[in-house]
Amino acid sequence: MNPAPRLEVELPDRIPLNGPGPSPVCNGTSRRQAAALRLGDLLVVEGLATEAQVQKALRVQGQANTYMPLGHILVAQDVLTRRQLVSVLERYRRRSKLGELLVKTHALTPEQLSTALAEQRRWKQTLGEAVIRLKFVTEEQLRRALCLQLNINFFDLATIALDMSLKPLINPRFAMKRLVVPVARVGQTLVVAMDDPTRTAVIDDLKSSTGFEIEVITSTKANILRALGQMYPGPMAAGSNGHAPHEPQPLMGEPHVISFEEIESLSEGHTLDVGGQRVSESTSSIVRELLTLAVERGASDIHLEAVDRGIQTRFRIDGVLQGLDLDRLNETLNLNRGRLMSRLKILSKLDIAERRRPQDGSFRARVERGGQTATVDFRISIIPSFYGESAVIRILDPRGLPQSVEALGLRAPVAARLRQLLRSTTGIILVTGPTGSGKSTTLFGALKSVYQPGIKILTAENPIEYVCDAFRQHEVDDRLGNTFAKYLRSFLRHDPDVIMVGEIRDSETAELAFRAAQTGHLVLSTLHANDTISALPRLLDLGVDANLITSSLLGVLSQRLAREVCSECRERYTPPADLLEDILGTPPADFRWYRGRGCSSCNYTGYRGRLILTELWAPNDADVVLINRGAPFEEVRQSAQKTTLPMADDAAEKLRQGRTNLEELIRALPHSALRQLRLDAN
């Protein structure tokens, strides 16, 4: 085959393939001239090949038994790289049409192509779907033509040994849904096999989440599914009929626990210059550094909030959101916001391509703090916002968990009374307080006090915050129908001694919990109420019969958490006179006023650690009579106050010890406790 005559056109200076700047074809005439050039001429003009090299490649093309694009021949002859070829083709829009390639490779006749194009318009399908439906070509013929069009390689995956160490790089759910499997890694390039290599959005997601350049290959769909089954055997088993499942089922059993070193080794990053310093661009090392800092500072949550051209990072420490001095980490987070979110999604087994809907997930990691190594749970919630995705990571560190009622830090009378109630074998104990007041931690300490080898404890939680082998724990999932009420019904058939219900939030759960307490079980649960006695009208509003309440309710513990003055920088002070007058009137002389100046130990907040402030009400006979006859609530409250261990007494004790101050009590205490504190002071 003789080479086609070359069209001599003078173009402006060539552009570097990987460099910035506008295309050399910058005006209407030049664009038309470039469009008339053949690929060989463009490569010569770009300085990527000589005329002799192009002529040699054209001779090889003419002598070949099957059609081979000129660019592929030049790549095979090491005249230019595949990336350089793709760059030229994309900039000059010189990609061949799929139909033409099928004809050139003799997979289709021109007549068959015309028929397929007509059927394509009628069926409103892609040309590939049309020729397969008409049985003009096989799947492999179509995919090989597609590879020629996209300048990618076709491989028989059945003959390739997969690199199983690449498994953590791609989320199994993402891999199943997009039919993409990691095959090999070459330097900073990850080779992936895709069922549909035209999906550029998937390729971009993979680049963002893994930190690698992506080299796409393809194979037959059967081979890709087989490779997915080898790489992700658990999720593939959830599919049916050999097809990838639309919604992969969650893996059962113990979740995978990784170390921070493993998080960092999932991918290697590049380096970039930030403020004159060379810093790691690896999103894995960013995640490791961020989580390590949060655990070291004792944070309960990490807030990653999308803002204009960056991300705002804050930590909830001692119940209050704080900004920490992140130094260069803050700049690195801003530069890698998208990659950071993708990495967190991979760790939490979420869909990295989903950016329009909220997602919740979790992962576990082994971390070290204060010389101790423990497995820490991280629960993540990601939501889309105006500037992009924001995330909150809840840190559940088991090392601070109380192992008994005594370890909760309750004042002596409350601890003694609660221990007495927990010795009961039947009845219900409720813990009330707002979100974040430590109710779950109190229940955990109570269950640890109750536990002994001869009893069975069942829990229904949403979610399971702390895992304990002594209990049989069950996670509520409303989507699956596993509600608190459904678990309660099932628990009664499993012969438990103690039942813990994470929260009573509806009439059905409330009724079942009190019925269980009445039939020979000790039940522990939480309820949203401002103080102990307020639990009564809340239960009545939920439809629990007054007689059922009085026959089953052992006691109600209400609690709050107040920050403790930092012991490293505390100093004596006198609160403002108007504040003292408004809150306490005339304060007792034995109150000791301390505040923290602020130091590095407390992140200059003046507080470090938290104290539990509690109130405990155990109904007596007089309370029971009033409740049963439907007495007015205020009358019941006045009666209950006679047997209640009030929160105001707890707050006053902490003030006498100088462990907290008035400003913090105003923030933490409910209005009823502040009012009682004033009454007691005067």
Side-chain angles (χ1 to χ4, degrees):
M1 179 186 293
N2 294 324
R6 298 177 64 250
L7 178 64
E8 298 293 334
V9 179
E10 185 176 350
L11 290 176
D13 293 339
R14 66 183 179 91
I15 36 172
L17 284 175
N18 297 317
S23 168
V25 185
C26 55
N27 55 62
T29 303
S30 296
R31 283 198 185 94
R32 288 193 297 271
Q33 291 171 337
L37 285 175
R38 294 176 181 270
L39 176 62
D41 299 309
L42 286 175
L43 294 174
V44 171
V45 170
E46 290 283 350
L48 295 172
T50 65
E51 291 188 18
Q53 289 170 327
V54 171
Q55 294 296 333
K56 180 181 177 182
L58 286 170
R59 285 194 295 273
V60 171
Q61 185 186 49
Q63 295 167 1
N65 294 326
T66 58
Y67 173 74
M68 177 70 70
L70 177 65
H72 286 215
I73 297 172
L74 290 168
V75 170
Q77 293 176 341
D78 294 326
V79 174
L80 71 163
T81 66
R82 184 180 302 277
R83 184 174 297 180
Q84 289 172 324
L85 173 63
V86 171
S87 177
V88 171
L89 292 174
E90 288 182 350
R91 278 192 288 115
Y92 292 106
R93 298 180 176 87
R94 301 304 294 270
R95 182 167 287 170
S96 302
K97 293 183 178 180
L98 180 60
E100 294 174 356
L101 288 172
L102 288 169
V103 172
K104 286 182 178 180
T105 56
H106 306 294
L108 282 182
T109 65
E111 293 76 15
Q112 287 175 321
L113 176 60
S114 298
T115 301
L117 289 171
E119 293 300 303
Q120 174 197 10
R121 289 189 291 270
R122 187 165 69 88
W123 292 333
K124 296 181 180 179
Q125 293 179 317
T126 64
L127 178 61
E129 291 170 331
V131 294
I132 290 290
R133 182 171 180 175
L134 291 168
K135 298 183 179 179
F136 286 163
V137 298
T138 65
E139 181 194 0
E140 183 170 334
Q141 286 176 313
L142 176 64
R143 287 179 181 268
R144 288 187 180 276
L146 188 63
C147 288
L148 293 176
Q149 182 191 37
L150 300 176
N151 299 289
I152 63 175
N153 288 318
F154 180 93
F155 284 96
D156 182 1
L157 286 185
T159 64
I160 296 177
L162 301 178
D163 184 351
M164 302 306 290
S165 67
L166 302 176
K167 180 178 179 178
L169 288 177
I170 301 180
N171 181 290
R173 181 178 298 179
F174 180 89
M176 298 303 157
K177 193 172 182 180
R178 271 74 182 180
L179 294 183
V180 54
V181 59
V183 175
R185 172 183 164 188
V186 182
Q188 287 300 317
T189 299
L190 179 66
V191 181
V192 298
M194 290 180 63
D195 177 59
D196 185 356
T198 64
R199 300 179 69 177
T200 56
V202 174
I203 299 171
D204 290 340
D205 285 332
L206 289 172
K207 284 182 181 179
S208 174
S209 63
T210 64
F212 289 112
E213 291 296 322
I214 302 299
E215 176 81 17
V216 177
I217 66 172
T218 192
S219 186
T220 63
K221 188 167 188 174
N223 280 340
I224 290 176
L225 287 172
R226 191 178 299 112
L228 281 168
Q230 295 173 11
M231 185 67 73
Y232 307 104
M236 278 301 292
S240 59
N241 303 323
H243 297 287
H246 293 291
E247 287 296 333
Q249 299 299 312
L251 296 177
M252 303 302 292
E254 180 70 14
H256 177 56
V257 182
I258 56 179
S259 66
F260 276 169
E261 288 70 23
E262 289 174 301
I263 291 176
E264 189 165 12
S265 68
L266 289 181
S267 69
E268 296 178 5
H270 312 288
T271 58
L272 70 162
D273 190 270
V274 178
Q277 291 182 306
R278 301 290 288 179
V279 299
S280 172
E281 194 187 21
S282 165
T283 50
S284 298
S285 64
I286 296 172
V287 170
R288 178 182 184 273
E289 191 171 351
L290 183 67
L291 297 182
T292 300
L293 177 63
V295 171
E296 288 176 349
R297 293 299 185 96
S300 61
D301 302 88
I302 306 171
H303 289 245
L304 302 169
E305 300 158 325
V307 295
D308 188 17
R309 291 189 293 275
I311 191 167
Q312 177 177 271
T313 305
R314 296 189 290 174
F315 301 81
R316 189 171 294 279
I317 301 174
D318 296 334
V320 177
L321 276 178
Q322 303 177 22
L324 298 180
D325 182 13
L326 301 180
D327 196 23
R328 66 173 181 82
L329 178 60
N330 194 52
E331 296 180 71
T332 310
L333 288 170
N334 285 328
L335 289 170
N336 293 274
R337 182 176 73 183
R339 291 184 176 184
L340 172 65
M341 290 298 171
S342 294
R343 172 56 53 188
L344 291 172
K345 288 178 183 178
I346 288 175
L347 289 173
S348 306
K349 298 181 175 60
L350 301 178
D351 186 347
I352 63 172
E354 180 57 73
R355 298 189 180 95
R356 298 171 299 173
R357 295 184 178 90
Q359 295 190 80
D360 295 329
S362 63
F363 61 95
R364 309 180 81 182
R366 289 186 298 272
V367 297
E368 185 173 334
R369 178 186 177 191
Q372 289 183 308
T373 300
T375 299
V376 177
D377 285 294
F378 297 90
R379 295 189 177 273
I380 182 168
S381 177
I382 298 177
I383 59 173
S385 61
F386 183 78
Y387 286 113
E389 290 180 304
S390 296
V392 174
I393 305 171
R394 167 63 59 88
I395 302 171
L396 301 171
D397 190 342
R399 285 168 290 188
L401 282 178
Q403 300 302 309
S404 65
V405 167
E406 289 75 15
L408 289 171
L410 305 174
R411 62 192 179 104
V414 174
R417 187 75 178 103
L418 182 58
R419 280 196 302 271
Q420 182 182 354
L421 296 178
L422 289 171
R423 293 191 189 101
S424 303
T425 58
T426 182
I428 185 169
I429 300 172
L430 297 175
V431 180
T432 72
T435 301
S437 60
K439 299 188 296 296
S440 297
T441 303
T442 297
L443 286 181
F444 187 90
L447 289 175
K448 292 290 283 186
S449 291
V450 168
Y451 175 73
Q452 52 183 303
I455 69 171
K456 182 172 183 176
I457 299 176
L458 298 179
T459 75
E461 306 172 59
N462 185 23
I464 297 173
E465 294 193 0
Y466 302 108
V467 178
C468 179
D469 292 338
F471 319 144
R472 304 285 75 78
Q473 296 172 276
H474 310 81
E475 185 157 290
V476 168
D477 190 336
D478 292 333
R479 295 172 300 176
L480 300 177
N482 295 333
T483 62
F484 284 116
K486 188 170 183 178
Y487 273 127
L488 267 173
R489 286 196 187 89
S490 298
F491 284 174
L492 297 179
R493 295 190 289 271
H494 281 252
D495 189 28
D497 297 286
V498 180
I499 296 173
M500 192 275 274
V501 181
E503 182 184 352
I504 293 177
R505 60 172 68 156
D506 56 67
S507 300
E508 186 180 16
T509 305
E511 181 78 17
L512 287 169
F514 275 82
R515 292 291 179 192
Q518 202 176 41
T519 56
H521 306 89
L522 177 62
V523 179
L524 307 180
S525 189
T526 70
L527 189 71
H528 280 287
N530 281 332
D531 52 26
T532 54
I533 190 60
S534 296
L536 177 60
R538 174 74 177 130
L539 290 171
L540 293 172
D541 288 343
L542 289 173
V544 184
D545 184 75
N547 291 322
L548 187 58
I549 294 174
T550 55
S551 63
S552 305
L553 185 62
L554 296 175
V556 182
L557 180 76
S558 180
Q559 65 182 60
R560 297 292 191 277
L561 295 176
R563 291 180 295 173
E564 186 170 8
V565 174
C566 177
S567 60
E568 299 291 329
C569 63
R570 79 172 191 166
E571 61 182 8
R572 295 293 294 265
Y573 87 116
T574 301
D578 56 343
L579 187 65
L580 284 172
E581 176 63 28
D582 290 344
I583 303 302
L584 295 177
T586 304
D590 59 348
F591 279 7
R592 301 167 65 189
W593 305 112
Y594 285 94
R595 67 181 176 189
R597 292 190 310 275
C599 63
S600 58
S601 296
C602 61
N603 194 34
Y604 301 95
T605 62
Y607 300 96
R608 187 179 183 187
R610 287 191 286 181
L611 306 166
I612 185 171
L613 303 173
T614 57
E615 177 175 277
L616 180 60
W617 169 51
N620 62 8
D621 292 341
D623 300 334
V624 168
V625 170
L626 290 173
I627 295 170
N628 282 338
R629 69 177 175 84
F633 176 64
E634 281 305 316
E635 188 177 346
V636 178
R637 178 189 288 277
Q638 290 175 11
S639 174
Q641 285 177 346
K642 298 174 184 177
T643 56
T644 297
L645 299 172
M647 191 177 293
D649 289 358
D650 206 350
E653 182 177 308
K654 300 299 190 293
L655 285 175
R656 291 187 180 95
Q657 295 169 351
R659 298 179 65 187
T660 190
N661 53 36
L662 191 59
E663 290 84 352
E664 180 60 14
L665 291 180
I666 293 171
R667 186 191 70 85
L669 291 182
H671 179 69
S672 58
L674 286 173
R675 184 174 63 247
Q676 186 63 43
L677 186 63
R678 180 185 179 94
L679 291 173
D680 293 345
N682 294 277

